[in-house]
Amino acid sequence: MSQGDILQSMKEGSEKAQAVVAPATTLEEAIAYAVNLTVQEGGTTMAAPGMDDAARKALSAACGEKGITLLDSPLRAQMTKIHTAFTWADRGIADTGTLVLNSDSEEFRIATMLSETHVAVLPVDNIVPSMDALEGYMTEHFKKGPGYIAFVTGPSRTADIERILTIGVHGPKRLHILFLDGGEK
Amino acid sequence: MIHTPETEKEFKAQIKKSLEKDFMRKTLTNFSVAYRQSRSNAFANLDLEGMREDIACMKDAGIPNLTVLFDEFKKNAEAAGTIIHVAKDGDEANRIIAQIAKENGVKRIVKSKSMTAEETFLNDHLEKDGYEVVETDLGEWIIQMRHEGPSHMVMPAIHLSRYQVGELFSDVTAKKQDPEDIEGLVRVARKELRPTFIAADMGISGGNFAIADSGAIGLVTNEGNARLTTTLPRVHVALMGFDKLVPDVSAAMKILKILPRNATGQALTSYVTWIKGTNECAPGPEGKKIQHMIFLDNGRLALAKDPIFAEVLRCIRCGACANVCPIYRMVGGHTFGHVYIGAIGLILTTFFHGKEKARGIVKCCLNCQSCKGVCPSKIDLPFLIKNVYAKVQEEDGGKPLKTRLTSLLLKNRRLFHTTMKAAAKMQGPATDGPYVRHLPNFLMGDHNFRRLPAIADRSLRDDWKQVKPKVTNPTLKVALFGGCAGDFIYPEQGKAFAKLCEAYNVSVDYPMDQSCCGLPTMMMAQMDTAKDIAAQNVKAFTAGDYDYIVTLCASCGSHIKENFPKLLTKKGAVPADVKAMADKLIDFSSFMNDVVKVKSEDFMNLGRKVTYHYPCHLVRGLEVTEAPMALLEKAGVNYVESNESQVCCGFSGSFSVDFPMISKNMVAHKLDNAEATGATTLVTDCPGCVLQLRGGAEARGMNLTVKHMAEVLLEEKK
Ligand code: SF4
Ligand code: SF4
């Protein structure tokens, strides 16, 4: 599979699972996207666990401009307040449109599970064609001791009432995936 | 608390009640139709058969080694801080979990969906001990509040309407909820359960796989509640059966690739969560989670050693065997099962919850093979259901008189054939043309939905000398396996076959020592008789050196091809004569189309309007779908496909006598669909289906002729 095919398949898989896919050439662009989306949705807070200092600084500035609060650690104290979670995604699985999130950190888990909207930045070089390519990644991850990995395909959903597909039960109601194609991270 | 009938009478009463639940029936019927489509979309471009084979092989390699896998898992999980327990039964599992709660000063517990916890009735136990337990999967939450069990493994509340949920949620929130606004109802769950998650001290989950070489578990969910359950509270307890152990990530992924596709037609669920050891958890000791895992035996380790039943441990709990079951869709999971429902439930109930809970349901299977055809682990569910039925009867000490008599009769070919002859004479005054005039008393009432055929004056074997095709230098030498219905009720079908063979220069023998194929005895779970009869038939057909053994009965055919080898396996191997008979066996349509290779020029092409019913044992037993279509095309008829043309007609021999209320609904469904095509002839490939459909059409006074394919081909032949 060429990289173009992989990207196309990742996009189709994600969209089929009701995720929104958009391109981003730099992390700044991704930050702007997340902040604007939060404003559009009427959100006032963001959580961004796992961002390095530089990214956090840029995010903090962008949030400040739009009057959005960038929540500080520990998020456990603010569990009901998280509108947008802005995070990296570790890997992508193209054929199902799945994000692989290294969720070892509790902060990361709280943000990605309890937010209303999750914006994940996925470096395009980290997308694999199918799950099989991740066997090594998974085995390695669990070799070092405790660990928590999440495969996420679209937003939270249920069909428990009359089999009618309804989005957003316990997890994020919206999932945006930004394909980062600028050699960053 | 769930209630499951323990006597046949009570069970039948419950079936009748379930049949009145119109909403449920409609929902389950729509679901079963939609499911077939979404499943096939989900597997488009994938090698489904290869994937199924992989799962079966992987599981079969693990089943004899579950304790080895367990030891490995334990070592790896303990190294990451998890505390591992083994529970020999449900009670012990519940006690262990209650003890963990006590030791950790737990008050509030949240649960994500776990069939294993349903199996042990964990909630009841914990609530009795004074804990507050809240199910967080939407469907489970709904049924918990209604004090019901799940009616489906994957969609626990599928039996309920939005109105029932709306009413319940209005009570919960003390505010009127609009039942038409399903999104609104879902929001109620999100809003109500958030604080519960946040306040909980302990989270209980199940596990879809336990990976031995890493000590991690995997959870496959859509809502996101399992993630919260395993993240927010300071204690996490996972309860799993031993059968969830797999060797490595690659094996887990094999399951993951097939499970959501086969369960709901999704490529992957929204969330797959992989957890190993005591992860970060701020409120836990030293900022770490307290994690316990309980492996439940409850009969699994003994099952793993059982030569027949070990196969059930391949189950990955996808729920598909219920989705496609024509009985499930009519009566729902609360009737068609105990805790586990559908085909797999019919089997597991005996082992996990005892024969009392299984007694009613084990008999209630059409042997239609639909479940087997979709099972991702290739479990021979219908065969195991019959075996479990035999087990329950044995443990109940003795078989019903009717069963014993039938068994005795069918075992002795001469006695059986003499009886049939006598019956043909005796019924004389009670017949009305080809039908029985009055039904015997025990068949009245519920059974009036179809007219039963009379036994033919002269059987096929009586007339065989005259019927046998007269050919010189035949191109093929075949034997005909008649089957009971073909021999004694509808000899005209065999005669049509003989005429066709004469026209195509094929010689046909009718070995006189052949008897009933034995399927009816297997349906009554008389496994020993089924074996005896199978052996008699193999002997009868071994003498002649036939190119093919042709049968007009799809049920006999699939029984011979598939069950004879299973029944007659000796020391793990299938004897050569049994294998030869199974290999030579071919159904009528495949024989005419693929072997004789009839041509369009041979037929008159009159263009009469026909539709077709696929016999269960033709499509799912012998896996034949194309030959009948090719024949109809060559015959030049105007073929119109019926909706759900591959769904069972509801005959299934003694089933339709035992459960007339189900059989009646099924044949009605079939005939409605046939009627909608506007066809005047309904063709099929099995005398059993002819009996059911013709009898049903006659009782309704329909303008629809039901015929066997052999009769239609002969009529169309130039
Ligand atoms: S064989 Fe048919 S009737 Fe029996 S359990 Fe399977 S699907 Fe249901
Ligand atoms: S028996 Fe097969 S079809 Fe039924 S739930 Fe288990 S895996 Fe699925």
Side-chain angles (χ1 to χ4, degrees), chain B residues 26-81:
Chain B
K26 207 169 114 223
T27 304
L28 297 180
T29 300
N30 290 344
F31 171 50
S32 125
V33 174
Y35 167 76
R36 259 177 266 144
Q37 190 58 48
S38 52
R39 177 178 186 264
S40 86
N41 294 347
F43 285 109
N45 308 321
L46 290 173
D47 172 18
L48 174 56
E49 283 319 302
M51 291 165 83
R52 293 174 78 202
E53 194 58 48
D54 274 2
I55 301 263
C57 282
M58 182 272 285
K59 282 281 190 177
D60 282 352
I63 290 168
N65 300 309
L66 289 179
T67 52
V68 178
L69 291 174
F70 170 74
D71 290 341
E72 196 187 352
F73 182 90
K74 182 169 171 356
K75 187 182 88 208
N76 290 317
E78 282 177 348

Side-chain angles (χ1 to χ4, degrees), chain A:
Chain A
M1 251 181 157
S2 75
Q3 212 205 1
D5 291 343
I6 292 181
L7 276 186
Q8 186 55 30
S9 152
M10 178 78 201
K11 183 168 160 12
E12 279 167 17
S14 306
E15 286 171 351
K16 212 168 150 196
Q18 288 82 23
V20 177
V21 175
T25 45
T26 60
L27 187 60
E28 282 66 39
E29 220 179 292
I31 289 173
Y33 182 101
V35 171
N36 288 337
L37 181 68
T38 308
V39 173
Q40 263 169 38
E41 289 178 353
T44 55
T45 57
M46 274 178 86
M51 292 287 152
D52 63 16
D53 288 347
R56 207 173 158 83
K57 223 166 132 194
L59 185 61
S60 175
C63 282
E65 263 173 45
K66 304 270 172 152
I68 289 169
T69 314
L70 181 59
L71 299 171
D72 280 326
S73 185
L75 292 173
R76 215 176 238 279
Q78 313 165 76
M79 285 197 277
T80 54
K81 295 193 190 128
I82 312 165
H83 182 86
T84 305
F86 181 69
T87 72
W88 288 102
D90 225 20
R91 296 281 188 281
I93 305 173
D95 66 350
T96 49
T98 302
L99 295 177
V100 179
L101 306 177
N102 174 347
S103 306
D104 291 353
S105 130
E106 188 181 29
E107 290 292 278
F108 189 95
R109 266 179 279 146
I110 289 176
T112 53
M113 293 175 190
L114 290 165
S115 51
E116 299 292 298
T117 300
H118 179 194
V119 181
V121 186
L122 174 64
V124 290
D125 293 340
N126 290 355
I127 305 177
V128 297
S130 76
M131 216 184 273
D132 300 324
L134 284 180
E135 273 171 37
Y137 166 92
M138 305 281 295
T139 312
E140 273 309 303
H141 191 93
F142 287 125
K143 254 195 196 143
K144 59 169 183 41
Y148 199 119
I149 295 176
F151 287 6
V152 176
T153 313
S156 153
R157 73 198 54 223
T158 186
D160 273 352
I161 303 176
E162 290 197 12
R163 296 197 310 110
I164 292 169
L165 178 68
T166 314
I167 299 294
V169 207
H170 295 301
K173 293 175 182 163
R174 292 163 294 269
L175 175 67
H176 290 244
I177 304 172
L178 305 180
F179 284 1
L180 182 65
D181 196 357
E184 272 203 58
K185 193 175 180 179

Side-chain angles (χ1 to χ4, degrees), chain B residues 321-322 324-328 336 342-344 346 364-372 381-382 385-386 648 655:
Chain B
C321 51
V324 297
C325 175
I327 302 179
Y328 168 79
F336 199 54
I344 191 71
L346 264 48
C364 192
C365 165
L366 292 152
N367 192 31
C368 76
Q369 313 278 316
S370 303
C371 48
K372 179 180 170 187
L381 294 151
I385 290 170
K386 293 307 163 203
C648 182
F655 178 92

Side-chain angles (χ1 to χ4, degrees), chain B residues 533-610:
Chain B
I533 299 178
Q536 280 176 38
N537 279 311
V538 171
K539 205 163 147 230
F541 281 84
T542 304
D545 184 22
Y546 302 115
D547 298 317
Y548 291 92
I549 299 169
V550 184
T551 183
L552 272 61
C553 175
S555 297
C556 300
S558 93
H559 184 64
I560 292 170
K561 218 174 183 68
E562 220 185 352
N563 294 335
F564 273 23
K566 279 195 180 183
L567 290 165
L568 299 175
T569 291
K570 280 203 188 88
K571 296 193 184 112
V574 182
D577 53 348
V578 180
K579 190 172 176 310
M581 177 159 188
D583 288 347
K584 285 180 184 175
L585 193 286
I586 188 167
D587 64 283
F588 170 80
S589 280
S590 302
F591 179 71
M592 295 313 284
N593 191 63
D594 307 345
V595 181
V596 176
K597 299 199 166 75
V598 301
K599 295 191 193 66
S600 316
E601 304 88 272
D602 306 343
F603 299 96
M604 296 186 287
N605 290 295
L606 299 176
R608 70 165 138 169
K609 203 166 180 183
V610 309

Side-chain angles (χ1 to χ4, degrees), chain B residues 418-451:
Chain B
T418 325
T419 310
M420 291 306 278
K421 230 179 220 167
K425 288 219 176 66
M426 271 162 53
Q427 68 179 357
T431 54
D432 170 12
Y435 297 99
V436 177
R437 191 191 304 273
H438 297 294
L439 290 175
N441 269 340
F442 78 97
L443 286 179
M444 290 296 275
D446 278 343
H447 297 267
N448 269 338
F449 67 89
R450 66 169 179 219
R451 300 206 65 190

Side-chain angles (χ1 to χ4, degrees), chain B residues 613-652:
Chain B
H613 162 68
Y614 289 88
C616 296
H617 294 122
L618 190 72
V619 260
R620 291 174 291 271
L622 297 167
E623 294 178 15
V624 171
T625 48
E626 286 164 19
M629 290 303 111
L631 287 180
L632 290 177
E633 196 184 329
K634 287 177 187 170
V637 298
N638 172 11
Y639 170 70
V640 194
E641 186 173 341
S642 285
N643 271 338
E644 298 209 72
S645 56
Q646 297 192 359
V647 170
C648 182
C649 66
F651 171 59
S652 190

